[in-house]
Amino acid sequence: MKVLVLGGGGREHALVWKLRQSPRVTEILACPGNAGIARQAELVTLPLDDLYGLAQFALENKVDLTVVGPEAPLVAGIVDVFSARTQYIFGPGKAQARLEGSKVYAKRLMARLNIPTASFEVFDSAPAAADYVRQASRPLVVKADGLAAGKGVHVCQDPAAAEAAIRQIMEEKVFGAAGDRVVIEECLEGQEATLMFFLDGETARPMIPSQDYKRVGDGDTGPNTGGMGCYAPVPAVSDALVQQVQREVIEPILEAFDVRGIHYRGVLYVGLMLTADGYRVLEFNIRFGDPEAQTVLPLLETDLVDVMIATMEGGLHRLQPKWRNEKTVTVVLASGGYPGEYEKGKVIEGLEDVAAVPGVTIFHAGTALEEGKVVTAGGRVLNVTATGPTHAEAAKRAYEAVGKIRFEGMQYRKDIGSRVRG
Ligand code: AMP
Ligand code: GLY
């Protein structure tokens, strides 16, 4: 089987790494990939927003299965384009992808289906939104409606901060048309957790729960990032809670689509806040999380190709994915300055030494090859994932590996997994 993986971050490296383990896979192409993916796949460069160009490329190159990593092509409707030409592709269609593509749509659907979520209001005018936040006596969260590369959410402690966020999103249009509308919601408190599911339109198979570290600094300080680390499983997410989310969130969503004659087939990511009053859904993503994929896929024992095909063909009732009874910790190594401005092109040293640490896998994110050397090429550069019998052991291994890697300006959080390390 020839597989094409779209995307070039840590999530896509984990997908390529896992797909490589399948005896069914003979060849992998990655677009655009990165320096780590280049060791396991052939890199191709095509624009990810040219959906017809990608479909044509897949056809001409006899690709049997296309796997989409990032949200943008899914929201743009790549699955509909491939499917109309009977080309195999893993991910939900355009109608389903609105769950991530529009926060207004996701919130209204949750309200209609009685899915527990933060109370909210929607505004399409900046003055009306500003009037609303001026009357608030409690912290509020202001969210751009559309895709904003994870930067469209502002947690605001006071009305002045909320007004500033509204101005940025709706007047300065820093995210373009994604800021035509905003969702303003109550600020929730608690631990966050990620619960991803494989959905084949009817059957849901949960993955191992994970916990992402969103802030840049130790102790959850500083600005939000794409994710600075992750661990799995999450003791705070019990089997009973997984079943509850499946019953109260996933099943109503599958039904709501089914009524319209469409099926959700692919990965659905449910972002949870575990509050004192029970869980609330913070957001949906229509794809694997990054860095959650780097933490969760190493625990999957079943062939990922089998799971993906069952997901696409409505066969998950016959396939129960198996998970390893181990723990994983992923530490993200980022460029100095990230999530703000940072420099690229710094030589990365020590990657070979990491092979000596047991249970450790490096997933590349923002890396490139320059004159035979691996250099930094993005904000998040590397993911160091370690597996172990306990979270403490996994964390020890991950940080031992981190200690062997160097590049100018390298920064990382030292407290990944500290909540469960004991
Ligand atoms: P979202 O993209 O909607 O998940 O928001 C990104 C991040 O903002 C979440 O992972 C939370 O850390 C934070 N966040 C979003 N909504 C809320 C909320 N209602 N209360 C508190 N924090 C939130
Ligand atoms: N780690 C958060 C995300 O993938 O959106």
Side-chain angles (χ1 to χ4, degrees), residues 71-80 91-110 112 122 144-147 181 183 253 256-257 260 262-265 267-269 282-287:
E71 60 277 13
L74 292 169
V75 171
I78 191 168
V79 172
D80 306 62
K94 188 173 184 172
Q96 301 86 312
R98 285 179 74 203
L99 280 175
E100 178 167 359
S102 167
K103 289 193 188 288
V104 172
Y105 171 76
K107 292 293 290 193
R108 288 186 171 153
L109 186 69
M110 283 193 265
R112 184 157 71 75
V122 175
D145 177 36
L147 292 186
R181 292 189 293 180
V183 172
I253 285 185
F257 283 126
R260 294 165 54 197
I262 49 181
H263 298 288
Y264 194 109
R265 291 188 169 139
V267 170
L268 183 59
Y269 168 128
L282 284 180
E283 66 166 337
F284 292 116
N285 293 323
I286 50 153
R287 48 167 176 85

Side-chain angles (χ1 to χ4, degrees), residues 7-320:
R11 165 182 52 213
E12 288 75 24
H13 193 181
L15 284 166
V16 167
W17 171 85
K18 185 67 194 165
L19 289 166
R20 261 276 162 244
Q21 295 169 10
S22 169
R24 301 176 71 171
V25 173
T26 47
E27 204 180 331
I28 304 182
L29 303 173
C31 174
N34 59 39
I37 293 175
R39 301 217 179 125
Q40 287 144 10
E42 185 189 329
L43 304 192
V44 294
T45 319
L46 292 163
L48 288 184
D49 57 0
D50 179 8
L51 309 184
Y52 290 92
L54 290 165
Q56 195 56 31
F57 172 84
L59 192 68
E60 281 165 12
N61 288 276
K62 300 193 166 49
V63 169
D64 300 298
L65 166 66
T66 300
V67 176
V68 190
E71 60 277 13
L74 292 169
V75 171
I78 191 168
V79 172
D80 306 62
V81 170
F82 274 61
S83 301
R85 305 161 53 135
T86 66
Q87 287 175 265
Y88 241 14
I89 185 161
F90 181 82
K94 188 173 184 172
Q96 301 86 312
R98 285 179 74 203
L99 280 175
E100 178 167 359
S102 167
K103 289 193 188 288
V104 172
Y105 171 76
K107 292 293 290 193
R108 288 186 171 153
L109 186 69
M110 283 193 265
R112 184 157 71 75
L113 302 177
N114 287 318
I115 292 173
T117 189
S119 61
F120 69 101
E121 297 286 338
V122 175
F123 295 93
D124 60 9
S125 119
D131 278 347
Y132 175 75
V133 300
R134 268 195 290 271
Q135 329 220 331
S137 53
R138 287 188 296 168
L140 289 172
V141 184
V142 179
K143 302 183 174 186
D145 177 36
L147 292 186
K151 295 181 189 135
V153 173
H154 296 257
V155 179
C156 305
Q157 293 310 321
D158 52 54
E163 275 190 72
I166 292 164
R167 216 175 305 121
Q168 242 193 41
I169 295 171
M170 300 190 87
E171 286 172 357
E172 293 162 25
K173 293 272 182 198
V174 291
F175 309 114
D180 287 349
R181 292 189 293 180
V182 289
V183 172
I184 300 182
E185 57 181 46
E186 76 178 299
C187 188
L188 301 170
E189 275 178 49
Q191 257 192 76
E192 281 183 59
T194 298
L195 193 50
M196 299 185 282
F197 291 83
F198 291 105
L199 302 183
D200 73 354
E202 269 180 30
T203 303
R205 296 297 189 195
M207 300 188 215
I208 300 285
S210 54
Q211 190 165 70
D212 174 17
Y213 287 70
K214 295 214 159 69
R215 302 295 195 93
V216 73
D218 285 346
D220 293 329
T221 52
N224 262 324
T225 69
M228 291 298 287
C230 195
Y231 70 86
V234 185
V237 181
S238 63
D239 289 348
L241 179 56
V242 173
Q243 282 164 25
Q244 193 186 353
V245 171
Q246 187 157 334
R247 217 171 39 241
E248 296 176 353
V249 180
I250 299 296
E251 284 171 15
I253 285 185
L254 287 177
E255 272 170 40
F257 283 126
D258 199 40
V259 167
R260 294 165 54 197
I262 49 181
H263 298 288
Y264 194 109
R265 291 188 169 139
V267 170
L268 183 59
Y269 168 128
V270 186
L272 298 173
M273 184 75 94
L274 310 178
T275 77
D277 304 322
Y279 79 89
R280 299 284 182 276
V281 175
L282 284 180
E283 66 166 337
F284 292 116
N285 293 323
I286 50 153
R287 48 167 176 85
F288 289 99
D290 184 343
E292 286 92 337
Q294 296 89 301
T295 310
V296 170
L297 286 175
L299 294 173
L300 178 62
E301 209 171 287
T302 311
D303 187 331
L304 181 58
V305 174
D306 291 344
V307 182
M308 287 184 160
I309 288 179
T311 300
M312 290 184 294
E313 293 189 334
L316 280 179
H317 60 287
R318 277 182 263 118
L319 186 142
Q320 176 73 262

Side-chain angles (χ1 to χ4, degrees), residues 355-404:
V357 189
V360 170
T361 311
I362 306 283
F363 297 117
H364 288 228
T367 66
L369 273 174
E370 254 176 36
E371 294 165 14
K373 292 202 173 95
V374 180
V375 300
T376 66
R380 289 189 290 172
V381 176
L382 296 167
N383 302 263
V384 179
T385 294
T387 305
T390 61
H391 287 105
E393 183 62 25
K396 188 171 147 271
R397 291 173 177 177
Y399 281 105
E400 188 185 336
V402 168
K404 296 181 187 290

